Amino acid sequence: MELRTFGRDIAHIDLAARTWEMRPAPEDWVRSYIGGRGLGVRYLLEAGPEVEALSPSNVLCFMSGPLTGSEASMSGRWVCVTKSPLTGTVTDSHQGGWSGARLRWSGFDGLVFEGRASAPVYAFIEDGRIELRDASDLWGKNIHETIRILQERYGEKDLSVNAIGSGGENQVRFAAWLNEDDRAFGRGGTGAVGGSKNLKAIVVRAGKKKSQVGDPDGWKAARSRALDGIRDENNLTSPRKGGLSIYGTNVLMNIANTIGALGTRNSQFTAFGDRAEKISGEYVDQHLRVGKPTCHACPVACKTEVEVKEGPWAGLRMESVEYEPAWSLGANCDNDDAAAIIKLIDQCNDLGIDPIELGNAFSMWMEATEKGWVPEGQGLAWGDTQAMVALTEDVAARQGVGKALSEGPAMAAAGLGHPEIAMAVKGQALPAYDPRGLKGMGLGYATSNRGACHLRAYVAAAELGVVPIEADPLEWRGKGELVKVFQDLHAFSDSLDLCKFSAFAEDAEVYAAQYASAMGIEFGSDDVMLAGERIYNLERHYNNLAGVPADTLPARFTEEASTEGGSKGHVSELSEMLVEYYAARGWEDGVVPNAKLEELGIR
């Protein structure tokens, strides 16, 4: 069996010259970094870690993985990789729906955008061809209108549109790309990089095509085994039975609240009391859900289409009330109005900004207002949903108070002279798991290569007991090795590119069987973990070269004890966990030494 040709069809698009050419990825890159996230980071390193994120020299990579668009379950993902204007780190953000699959079906494994167009353009992709077309009539329009116009222009059938809104055009540092299903390349400011390049949209038209695999019999067996795990009634993924399938990601709201890991009022508290129920997945399912859409090849259907039934936003219909934005714009801002959260998320989807970062910016400003640190007339009260809705528009337009908040909560708090009230790591705001209640997640935030992130090492799966590996959420010992294992495994699955939730039902052996049979090569579970380790170290090496700050957490989590829930009295023992973690990684104070680079074949 020989290596298949994934990585052959990488399009390099010169936006300044308005030309493109197909340049295969070097075979050793594909062998070492697999695809998706890993291959995208390798292209980013080639562009140079010293580039300014919003300069023409930065590259904007959209990468599929070797399983994207195949019959493998949960294989509808692709990834955007670039240097983040929010953090200055490497960043990658993954998107579901059908766009990634259609990119593969149209004849491309990845897109690398270089330079800057002299005027707004969009890329039209079909049947192995790319055209850069004039987007001057779309510039200034938000995402939903842009998608509607392009769907009317080209027809909705077999069409995917990814676009930026005013957030990206105005280079809000946490701007996002979204597609027609409201799936986002959400974190890290990828939309701002698109705006800096005058790239308004990526349009892909392609009918479904059956994937070609190297070992058809092995592929059939591997896919069947993976699907059996997803369907297992004991797993969170079980279709129409598991909590993820029924309630979506917001199944975690009440759980996190009970154990004292639900940051409230800018993480001054660790629980939201009885009010958490009003913004939970269970509440949304009972009172607001009207549909259960899904992504390519996904039986889980974790998305929830909702409709507001009454109040000022009655009739608003959108998807989806995910756990992270529901927390960030909800409990974190002292807001228990589910309808208002739906409105705010819908605004973010249309304007093209990250709701996790936005909610953190709001909560930081609310705390600063409460403490008298905000100029008169510019304050924001806890839970003031009408003001939040209005301010969201100002953030995307970079006007008024929104101009300061558009830089992200870390920069905005520093501008007030109080950086300590920004709950951020490396410039990116924390997601919805308080490090005092889930200690492995705290270590994962601190050591994430893209700034605070729950998806680099989803240790919550072990700490909440939803995978066979069990870990006490309040015990710091042993978390260094555990976080490394999760980070390496997810780096591999993100490079395949499979949905993160596949890890609730699949392990390294199952991933290896699917990859090996698809590519027609010998590849085992040890190879999975080695490739994941190589990718994670490549990212850290990039950050080291870029001068990214050390691995830290806000002092609130390491010095201020939790006062509520199951975590009462606890702080994050980050310094102790970092000693364990660096030993497991073979790093020196967060820096990858030359010996480790050579061991992994990065040099």
Side-chain angles (χ1 to χ4, degrees), residues 71-93:
E71 293 97 340
S73 296
M74 308 176 87
S75 61
R77 309 289 286 184
W78 64 324
V79 61
C80 182
V81 183
T82 191
K83 185 174 188 178
S84 168
L86 182 68
T87 64
T89 67
V90 60
T91 196
D92 65 286
S93 190

Side-chain angles (χ1 to χ4, degrees), residues 15 18 116-123 132-140 169 194-195 197-201:
L15 290 166
R18 296 185 69 149
R116 181 181 187 271
S118 59
V121 296
Y122 67 93
L132 293 177
R133 298 181 177 178
D134 179 34
S136 57
D137 64 320
L138 301 173
W139 203 259
E169 291 180 4
K197 293 182 174 299
N198 271 332
L199 181 62
K200 177 64 178 178

